[in-house]
């Protein structure tokens, strides 16, 4: 399988190269040149497979011959054996044709473990084979950081530097990062917001001279391998509810557009999906584009769902690339204009986006109300991101006879504030994490200044 950039100017790469590269050299994102397509019979034949076996079927064509079959199988098995639930991604019923897909049974209690537990293993495998080292640099609004650190901490070939916005992640999120004390793990608290962190990572990828010959690798969802891993649970959820013979819909709490993009891919690969609902908080640029063709940045606000406090959603570009008929030049022009001004999609292309996605933006007050109401009705406690998904699923549902599945992207214990605001008791940490608040922390607070951050990284990487 070959991978091409959404901006059309970067070299074509294979899976291993894409895994280690992150952002393309032309500023674009890598996507497969052609998607694998599965027939209904083939998908139906996967009913009853374990999560890991299903993951192997779906991931194998993307990895192609870059990893030996047995090795890939073993890495996938180990990844999902580390999850705290036998079903890995269990479904829970909230009401008639209303479901949540629990994606928080991995080591850091958010869906990002699905991809990052595998990504760390794949990277370590490729680097061992090449006898190379890589410097991971990533930005996090909270959950990516801990999941990435957890995925990379045991690698002898990786140093990992994670930037989070200072004082803007929840305490559980921060401690899940800063209490990992391996000497290849570095946490930077940046005096800025998430978009500042993400911009700094993008600028560093564009010019890596500060690393004096070392190379950067990405753990954000610009890394193709993350998107790939997330396609799997759309299939597992559908199969569990009678797919592919019966369509299902998904509502996805969305920030960087990675998770919902994986759902879009599942559909392109042959899975019968009726609706894909983009659920956002008040940082609602995606909702504004989809509902009103208004792609303007607006001021970033801090909400009770911090993992979705994002204005510039990297993966939206991957979807636009398809919508624009895979015209890299058109995407390069569009993204260039978007840097400095609001843009509109051409009418035909906007129509295509609206056909693919529904959307809804949910404010903090409503988020708390949903947590409260759902708990009152079902005794099920939603985290704020998932609550936004549930609300959006209800608002956008066009066919009550089709199951609407909201992706439960995090465990409520990670975000106690809205739960308490909803008048409910704050949830307890799971047994393996009860001492989180006593553990020693290590973190570097740095100014929102590219050079300062780059000097810190250059001064701490291990060169062998
Ligand atoms: C990362 C995250 C999201 C957003 O996912 P994207 O792939 O960035 O759209 C939503 N909810 C939680 C809890 C997250 O950690």
């Amino acid at each position: 399988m070959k991978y091409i950039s959404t901006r059309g100017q970067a070299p074509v790469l294979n899976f291993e190269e894409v895994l280690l590269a992150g952002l393309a050299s032309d500023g674009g994102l890598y996507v497969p040149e052609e998607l694998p397509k599965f027939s209904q019979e083939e998908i139906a034949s996967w009913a009853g497979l374990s999560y890991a076996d299903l993951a192997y079927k779906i991931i194998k064509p993307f990895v192609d011959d870059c990893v030996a079959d047995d090795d890939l199988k073993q890495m996938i098995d180990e990844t999902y054996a580390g999850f705290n639930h036998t079903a890995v991604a269990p479904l829970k019923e909230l009401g008639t044709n209303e479901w949540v897909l629990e994606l928080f049974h991995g080591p850091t209690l958010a869906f990002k473990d699905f991809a990052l537990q595998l990504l760390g293993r794949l990277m370590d495998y490729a680097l061992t084979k090449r006898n190379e080292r890589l410097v991971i640099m990533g930005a996090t609004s909270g959950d990516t950081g801990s999941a990435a650190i957890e995925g990379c901490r045991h690698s002898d070939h990786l140093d990992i530097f994670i930037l989070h916005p200072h004082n803007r992640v929840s305490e559980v999120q921060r401690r899940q990062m800063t209490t990992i004390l391996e000497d290849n793990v570095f946490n930077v608290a940046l005096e800025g917001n998430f978009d500042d962190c993400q911009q700094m990572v993008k600028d560093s990828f564009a010019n890596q001279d500060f690393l004096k010959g070392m190379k950067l690798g990405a753990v954000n969802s610009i890394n193709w391998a993350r998107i790939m891993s997330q396609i799997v649970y759309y299939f597992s959820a559908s199969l569990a509810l009678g797919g592919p013979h019966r369509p299902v819909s998904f509502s996805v709490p969305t920030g960087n557009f990675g998770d919902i993009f994986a759902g879009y891919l599942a559909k392109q690969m042959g899975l019968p999906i009726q609706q894909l609902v983009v659920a956002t908080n008040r940082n609602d640029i995606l909702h504004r584009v989809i509902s009103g063709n208004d792609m303007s940045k607006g001021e970033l606000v801090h909400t009770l769902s911090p993992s979705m406090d994002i204005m510039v959603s990297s993966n939206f570009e991957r979807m636009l690339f398809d919508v624009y008929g895979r015209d890299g030049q058109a995407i390069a022009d569009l993204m260039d204009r978007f840097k400095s001004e609001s843009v509109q999609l051409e009418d035909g292309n906007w129509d295509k986006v609206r056909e693919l996605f529904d959307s809804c933006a949910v404010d903090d007050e409503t988020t708390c109300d949903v947590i409260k109401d759902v708990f009152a009705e079902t005794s099920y406690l939603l985290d704020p991101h998932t609550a936004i998904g549930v609300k959006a699923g209800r608002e956008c549902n066009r066919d009550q006879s089709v199951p609407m599945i909201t992706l439960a992207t995090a465990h409520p214990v990670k975000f106690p504030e809205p739960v308490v605001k909803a008048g409910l008791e704050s949830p307890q940490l799971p047994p393996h994490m009860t001492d989180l608040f006593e553990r020693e922390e290590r973190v570097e607070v740095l100014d929102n200044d590219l050079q300062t951050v780059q000097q810190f990284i250059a001064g701490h990487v291990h060169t062998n």
Side-chain angles (χ1 to χ4, degrees):
M1 165 120 19
K2 296 243 180 332
Y3 291 84
I4 57 174
S5 165
T6 51
R7 302 201 189 170
Q9 299 293 317
V12 173
L13 303 183
N14 68 17
F15 176 78
E16 183 178 307
E17 292 162 335
V18 161
L19 172 73
L20 300 175
L23 208 64
S25 59
D26 57 4
L29 285 85
Y30 276 103
V31 289
E33 193 169 48
E34 215 172 315
L35 277 181
K37 296 259 162 58
F38 303 122
S39 70
Q40 303 300 290
E41 294 73 44
E42 194 172 10
I43 297 170
S45 76
W46 297 340
L49 288 185
S50 71
Y51 189 90
D53 288 346
L54 178 67
Y56 179 78
K57 298 273 185 204
I58 292 164
I59 288 172
K60 172 67 194 165
F62 291 108
V63 172
D64 209 357
D65 55 6
C66 285
V67 177
D69 290 358
D70 289 348
D71 294 339
L72 180 62
K73 185 116 206 19
Q74 190 184 342
M75 282 187 269
I76 291 174
D77 285 348
E78 283 173 10
T79 292
Y80 299 108
F83 279 55
N84 243 321
H85 196 290
T86 44
V88 182
L91 277 162
K92 294 280 161 69
E93 191 172 16
L94 288 186
T96 308
N97 279 330
E98 186 176 47
W99 299 81
V100 291
L101 180 65
E102 291 186 344
L103 301 177
F104 51 70
H105 295 287
T108 70
L109 313 179
F111 81 88
K112 299 203 165 70
D113 290 322
F114 276 83
L116 284 161
Q117 281 293 309
L118 183 59
L119 185 75
R121 287 178 169 86
L122 287 166
M123 279 183 163
D124 196 57
Y125 178 89
L127 291 166
T128 304
K129 196 167 87 180
R130 293 169 164 227
N131 193 24
E132 285 176 14
R133 293 190 62 84
L134 194 65
V135 181
I136 299 294
M137 186 176 179
T140 186
S141 53
D143 297 325
T144 299
S146 54
I149 288 169
E150 203 59 53
C152 296
R153 63 192 284 193
H154 300 301
S155 170
D156 293 332
H157 300 85
L158 296 169
D159 287 307
I160 176 162
F161 294 82
I162 294 294
L163 279 55
H164 70 263
H166 189 37
N167 291 333
R168 300 247 163 91
V169 299
S170 79
E171 183 166 7
V172 172
Q173 287 182 314
R174 189 191 72 238
R175 287 181 169 272
Q176 282 183 321
M177 299 190 277
T178 57
T179 59
I180 307 296
L181 302 177
E182 266 93 1
D183 67 5
N184 65 335
V185 173
F186 302 92
N187 280 288
V188 172
L190 194 77
E191 304 267 20
N193 64 29
F194 171 72
D195 282 344
D196 296 325
C197 295
Q198 182 153 273
Q199 191 56 47
M200 205 163 274
V201 172
K202 282 185 180 165
D203 290 344
S204 300
F205 270 87
N207 183 349
Q208 305 186 15
D209 291 351
F210 71 103
L211 280 174
K212 303 186 185 69
M214 300 278 295
K215 279 209 209 97
L216 282 183
V219 287
N220 286 92
S221 51
I222 57 173
N223 192 312
W224 169 258
R226 272 194 58 186
I227 306 289
M228 167 189 86
S229 317
Q230 291 169 205
I231 298 169
V232 178
Y233 45 71
Y234 288 91
F235 279 86
S236 80
S238 157
L239 284 164
L241 294 183
H245 307 300
R246 158 189 202 212
V248 291
S249 294
F250 290 95
S251 177
V252 185
T254 297
N256 236 336
F257 207 77
D259 217 1
I260 184 107
F261 183 66
Y264 159 85
L265 293 172
K267 186 170 178 174
Q268 308 303 310
M269 289 160 70
L271 189 68
I273 297 179
Q274 183 122 333
Q275 279 182 272
L276 284 167
V277 178
V278 175
T280 76
N281 61 25
R282 276 184 53 219
N283 298 296
D284 60 352
I285 177 169
L286 291 167
H287 171 58
R288 285 185 284 110
V289 183
I290 294 165
S291 63
N293 199 4
D294 168 21
M295 192 160 151
S296 59
K297 280 180 200 144
E299 194 66 25
L300 191 92
V301 294
H302 297 285
T303 71
L304 293 174
S305 45
S307 301
M308 290 155 59
D309 289 347
I310 298 173
M311 203 50 86
V312 183
S313 301
S314 312
N315 287 291
F316 198 59
E317 175 169 343
R318 283 187 159 122
M319 192 273 300
L320 288 178
F321 181 58
D322 281 359
V323 163
Y324 275 73
R326 304 212 129 194
D327 179 349
Q329 192 55 52
I331 295 299
D333 293 345
L334 185 76
M335 296 321 284
D336 198 43
R337 281 196 290 125
F338 179 58
K339 265 191 173 167
S340 53
E341 58 185 90
S342 336
V343 298
Q344 286 200 318
L345 310 179
E346 293 143 30
D347 282 346
N349 289 330
W350 180 48
D351 290 340
K352 287 188 213 162
V353 172
R354 280 194 302 170
E355 257 164 53
L356 291 164
F357 301 97
D358 296 280
S359 70
C360 178
V362 179
D363 64 20
D364 278 351
E365 201 188 327
T366 310
T367 305
C368 294
D369 288 346
V370 173
I371 292 173
K372 194 172 161 184
D373 293 347
V374 168
F375 189 79
E377 288 158 25
T378 65
S379 303
Y380 189 85
L381 188 61
L382 298 168
D383 106 291
H385 306 81
T386 310
I388 288 172
V390 167
K391 175 72 180 171
R394 289 176 178 176
E395 292 292 316
C396 297
N397 195 337
R398 280 188 269 106
D399 184 349
Q400 305 289 337
S401 72
V402 175
M404 175 64 76
I405 304 166
T406 293
L407 304 198
T409 49
H411 191 292
V413 76
K414 291 192 95 166
F415 306 96
E417 197 186 337
V419 175
V420 172
K421 281 214 164 97
L424 303 172
E425 212 167 299
S426 149
Q428 299 293 309
L429 284 166
H432 69 281
M433 281 172 57
T434 42
D435 66 338
L436 187 66
F437 289 89
E438 280 96 64
R439 288 186 211 157
E440 181 188 345
E441 290 190 78
R442 197 176 64 209
V443 57
E444 194 77 18
V445 181
L446 295 179
D447 286 342
N448 182 8
D449 172 67
L450 184 63
Q451 220 184 342
T452 306
V453 172
Q454 292 187 338
Q455 269 169 6
F456 176 79
I457 294 176
H460 288 85
V461 289
H462 297 89
T463 45
N464 55 41

